[in-house]
Amino acid sequence: MSGLVRLTVAQAVIRFLANQWTERDGLEQRAIAGCFGIFGHGNVAGVGQALLQAQRTGEADLPYHLARNEQAMVHAAVGYARMRNRLSAMACTASIGPGSTNMLTGAALATVNRIPVLLLPSDVFATRAAAPVLQELEDPRTYDVSVNDAFRPLSRFFDRVWRPEQLPAALLAAMRVLFDPVETGAVTLCLPQDVQAEAYDFPDELFARRVWHVARPVPEPAALARAVEVIRSAQRPLIIAGGGVIYSEAAADLSELAATTGIPVADTQAGKGAVSWDHPNSVGGIGSTGTPVANRLAAQADVIIGIGTRYSDFTTASRTAFHDPGVRFVNLNVASFDAAKQAATMLVADAREGIRALTAAIGESWQTTYADDVAAWQLTVDRAYHLGHGPLPAQSEVIGAVNDACGERDVVVQAAGSMPGDLQLLWRARDPKQYHVEYGYSCMGFEIAGALGIKMADPSREVYALVGDGSYLMMAQEIVTAVAEGIKLIVVLVQNHGFASIGALSESLGSQRFGTNYRYRDTAGDYDGGYLPVDLAVNAQSLGANVIRCRTIAEFTDGLKRAREADRITVVHIETDPLSPVPSSGSWWDVPVAEVSTLDSTRAARAGYDAAKRNQRLHL
Ligand SMILES: Cc1ncc(C[n+]2csc(CCOP(=O)(O)OP(=O)(O)O)c2C)c(N)n1
Ligand SMILES: [Mg+2]
């Protein structure tokens, strides 16, 4: 007979989380390694008290980390879990109202990227005794809705624990979803403020050590046979490696599959690093920001083998990447949802298991016809890395200098702006965990916060957050968290006075860079005046970071060296030319242009848009 233990709901949550483990390939690790949080009246005496009690008494081991912004703490949790290949995650506790809704963007980001995060937003009183509590929405149509209902469409599992009796089932469901590679994403358990503090006699066994086995589903033999038949019939196959390859730790197996079959491998933003850039079969990034080599192979391919990819519009160049009239797709994916895309022959399985099965079954090899193209492309990359652009350096030179400075295991972190595209095109990844570009949600502000979580997940690696001035201004405050926690990051802060990315996009779409500069508003009403008196280096310094200012690439290279030697968070600041050239990917991205306009620039862009749009294919 098991006993009962009298705990508050919050104490039970913390005790439960501290006893959850995951296992894959025989390796056990903590399922929930810690809890980020920001306290307010919604959680200070509930989850806050439980975390305090756990820390003071050792009743439960769940380290607490104070973040500076709730959105950022979810980014950090995403960075952590992605770095751990989704086998270990973090919890996030927030106060009710704005504290909780600040996590919405992070929830969407986690779910879009299929990364596990456990969100514990606080909620309005279950008893409604003091309603409306400070920050309560008060929907006049119904009393059982709160702002937290906005998490529903963003969460892979959502529950509100109105009564202590409901907690065990909610906790177990949360763990099941978090560590199921098919289901995973944001999991949200709303904890009403009064319920957090309410005591209940919980059964002991709820808190027993529990191991969640992370599955590696094997391919069904008939599905494997169908996939092999399509691949064997190919004249010009191409593999697209997505993030699933990396999360499944299948990089070595993919390299072997490519080497034994000779099939070229292109990578998506999430899949970069799955094969090393200098692997003989690596042709670099695919799609809108891919290499011309990969995009030419994609255009000609008759069979595309998509492994662990969700086929975002950037990957498919908005469905213009594949030109062969009879092109067919074979999709190896753990989720049938993704395997079914592009009307593919579906191979639903864990990436590693599926790749091994394909390697054993294909028994065929294709002639390589792209080695010269890859070599020529690498010369283009070398040139972009060492452009000698002036008077201000080019962003491609900054990327080159960081790539040169990086050790094999170092991690580069990015999310939005002109850098994700430049990185996918130019970055030479040597390790499956080296390239961490959040491009599912492409959320400005992810960089520093995400890097914090990444470093916590693997302190043995140097972590470089590359941040544009726009992203920095949105979310730089986790520098303070890094200082407080003693977490060493290298932040490369690229100042180009506004949105180089959206400015260039705007110009290409006939919108003349309207409203994308960080400059004074001039007399004509646009931001065409002088630069603003903003000094982000001083800003970073004021937050407690060590700051190195650089004007040239030589100074920047030296700055990176000093940053590596530093023992605390170091911001390396450099100004670049927002108009500096980048090699072309020869690809397209579907961003609709106004169909009618009185502006010549817009009409010209629309003509180009209509022409490109005709290349779009549905692949049904
Ligand atoms: C939260 C958020 N808001 C808006 C956007 C749209 N957006 C994409 S890139 C970008 C500008 C980024 O500016 P910066 O960080 O300076 O990078 P740069 O374009 O100059 O390289 C914007 C506004 C976004 N991706 N995320
Ligand atoms: Mg910028």
Side-chain angles (χ1 to χ4, degrees), residues 223-249:
L224 180 64
R226 286 191 293 269
V228 169
E229 196 191 329
V230 176
I231 295 170
R232 276 198 187 139
S233 74
Q235 304 291 311
R236 298 170 303 281
L238 172 70
I239 293 172
I240 298 178
V245 177
I246 292 173
Y247 305 142
S248 163
E249 295 174 89

Side-chain angles (χ1 to χ4, degrees), residues 248-266:
S248 163
E249 295 174 89
D253 300 272
L254 178 61
S255 293
E256 196 191 322
L257 171 68
T260 55
T261 60
I263 304 176
V265 181

Side-chain angles (χ1 to χ4, degrees), residues 18-376:
N19 284 299
Q20 306 308 302
W21 295 74
T22 65
E23 178 276 332
R24 191 171 73 180
D25 303 330
L27 180 71
E28 288 190 2
Q29 49 187 313
R30 284 286 296 274
I32 305 294
C35 185
F36 289 110
I38 293 180
F39 296 132
H41 64 283
N43 58 346
V44 67
V47 172
Q49 189 281 337
L51 285 164
L52 164 74
Q53 184 171 318
Q55 192 170 303
R56 288 284 189 275
T57 65
E59 285 168 14
D61 173 25
L62 200 73
Y64 169 69
H65 304 282
L66 167 60
R68 268 64 189 173
N69 173 293
E70 291 88 354
Q71 181 187 131
M73 80 189 174
V74 186
H75 294 337
V78 167
Y80 182 93
R82 180 168 162 189
M83 198 63 198
R84 292 300 198 94
N85 290 324
R86 314 193 293 199
L87 300 170
S88 183
M90 299 287 280
C92 297
T93 173
S95 190
I96 76 166
S100 287
T101 52
N102 265 357
M103 296 199 295
L104 288 168
T105 298
L109 185 148
T111 293
V112 168
N113 285 287
R114 289 96 194 264
I115 299 294
V117 296
L118 177 60
L119 307 181
L120 304 173
S122 302
D123 220 319
V124 297
F125 279 68
T127 59
R128 300 176 186 159
V133 62
L134 176 69
Q135 300 168 332
E136 181 165 345
L137 177 67
E138 267 207 302
D139 185 339
R141 297 162 300 179
T142 172
Y143 286 149
D144 71 352
V145 161
S146 81
V147 292
N148 286 350
D149 287 275
F151 283 95
R152 285 181 189 270
L154 310 179
S155 304
R156 298 304 310 256
F157 179 78
F158 173 97
D159 201 5
R160 184 180 278 119
V161 182
W162 287 120
R163 295 184 55 81
E165 292 90 328
Q166 297 168 337
L167 183 66
L171 289 172
L172 294 170
M175 291 299 122
R176 174 183 66 75
V177 173
L178 283 171
F179 300 106
D180 179 336
V182 179
E183 300 272 314
T184 195
V187 164
T188 304
L189 296 185
C190 304
L191 301 174
Q193 188 183 338
D194 50 349
V195 178
Q196 285 181 41
E198 195 174 335
Y200 181 73
D201 293 316
F202 289 96
D204 273 344
E205 59 257 53
L206 179 62
F207 309 108
R209 187 179 195 278
R210 206 176 291 258
V211 182
W212 299 86
H213 300 281
V214 179
R216 285 194 180 278
V218 296
E220 190 192 4
L224 180 64
R226 286 191 293 269
V228 169
E229 196 191 329
V230 176
I231 295 170
R232 276 198 187 139
S233 74
Q235 304 291 311
R236 298 170 303 281
L238 172 70
I239 293 172
I240 298 178
V245 177
I246 292 173
Y247 305 142
S248 163
E249 295 174 89
D253 300 272
L254 178 61
S255 293
E256 196 191 322
L257 171 68
T260 55
T261 60
I263 304 176
V265 181
D267 41 39
T268 71
Q269 287 279 14
K272 186 172 281 299
V275 291
S276 180
W277 74 278
D278 54 0
H279 186 290
N281 299 79
S282 170
V283 295
I286 180 122
S288 304
T289 52
T291 69
V293 187
N295 284 334
R296 183 179 61 76
L297 290 167
Q300 295 168 354
D302 58 349
V303 171
I304 302 291
I305 308 163
I307 308 181
T309 174
R310 49 192 284 272
Y311 285 103
S312 83
D313 62 347
F314 266 81
T315 297
T316 67
S318 301
R319 295 181 184 261
T320 61
F322 314 112
H323 299 179
D324 186 283
V327 63
R328 284 179 296 169
F329 295 81
V330 174
N331 288 344
L332 165 55
N333 206 296
V334 73
S336 64
F337 177 69
D338 291 315
K341 289 175 177 173
Q342 316 289 106
T345 299
M346 296 164 65
L347 188 59
V348 176
D350 167 67
R352 199 186 73 185
E353 295 302 318
I355 290 169
R356 286 181 180 175
L358 287 175
T359 307
I362 290 175
E364 191 133 349
S365 66
W366 285 264
Q367 292 296 320
T368 54
T369 57
Y370 47 88
D372 290 348
D373 291 350
V374 171

Side-chain angles (χ1 to χ4, degrees), residues 536-558:
L536 297 180
V538 170
N539 180 278
Q541 201 157 22
S542 77
L543 298 179
N546 177 34
V547 173
I548 301 170
R549 282 178 191 271
C550 315
R551 280 166 307 155
T552 63
I553 289 297
E555 283 180 20
F556 181 66
T557 299
D558 181 61

Side-chain angles (χ1 to χ4, degrees), residues 395 417-418 467-471 494-501 516 518 578:
Q395 184 162 281
S418 55
V467 195
D469 53 326
S471 272
V494 177
Q495 169 64 278
N496 59 17
H497 305 282
F499 305 162
S501 52
T516 59
Y518 286 170

